[in-house]
Amino acid sequence: MAAPESPAAAGTHLLAALVPPSVRVAEANHDVDAPLLPPEAAHISGASPRRRAEFTTVRHLAGRALAELGLARPPMVPGPVGEPAWPDGVVGSLTHCLGYRAAAVARASEVTALGIDAEPSRPLARGVLERIASPAERENVCELAEALPGVAGDRLLFSIKEAVYKAWFPRARKPLRFVDAEVGIRPDGAFMVRLATGPDSNAELTGRWAAGGGLLASAVVMKASV
């Protein structure tokens, strides 16, 4: 069985294929030279050129995604734990890794929680999986390796937990430990998550993942109740 892949193997549309139409996504495979708002420029002034480039690019992409909702981008100075700021009535998420940046946004009236993450498709460093995964999750990673030998299952698990954290933190306003989210990954590009704490305790969330262009991407979208 082949790994689930987006329409563009190069990764430009990797995340857009994983979310419903209510979520607007902007993606790029390279950094852009774009202006920052004054508070942002002051915040990042002492960073390395690489950090400034990725910081600038994801905010440029956030502006593009917000424009699709008819909204302007506010100053996006990171909060106490690095969380981005969004306009009132909007949920959003940012991600960046080597060769890829993305921003996703949605109206809070349609989506109550949103998290995205992208990672290079290569195994985690030795010992990391044992720190982030339960025995059941480690078994799941082994099963995934048999079904999809071209996918770094341990890195995919890490990506999914990062996406879950990004969706969960704005609702709970406190850190989420790796052990607080039990993940089950399916080879068909879906995953399930059971949370052990916070406002969604014991809730089962679902999401989608994909591989392409040397990248792994995951997205969690919690739709608003009708």
Side-chain angles (χ1 to χ4, degrees), residues 10 34 40 48 53 64 73 80 83 93 110 176 180 186 199 225:
E40 298 166 340
S48 68
R64 280 175 40 191
R73 180 173 73 82
E83 74 277 17
S93 185
E110 298 179 277
L176 182 72
D180 291 330
R186 292 185 353 205
S225 301

Side-chain angles (χ1 to χ4, degrees), residues 160-207:
I160 290 170
K161 292 205 174 194
E162 286 289 297
V164 170
Y165 178 88
K166 292 175 186 179
W168 185 88
F169 182 81
R171 292 167 60 82
R173 306 305 300 180
K174 65 178 184 178
L176 182 72
R177 300 174 301 167
F178 283 112
V179 297
D180 291 330
E182 184 78 16
V183 176
I185 308 170
R186 292 185 353 205
D188 64 358
F191 62 83
M192 291 70 65
V193 183
R194 184 166 293 280
L195 296 174
T197 186
D200 302 307
S201 180
N202 295 319
E204 187 170 277
L205 310 181
T206 60

Side-chain angles (χ1 to χ4, degrees), residues 6 14 20 32 65 78 111 114 126 143 145 155 158 169 183 187 219-220:
S6 73
L14 197 59
V32 300
V111 171
L114 172 62
R126 185 184 300 273
E143 293 169 348
R155 180 76 66 166
F158 179 84
F169 182 81
V183 176
V220 175

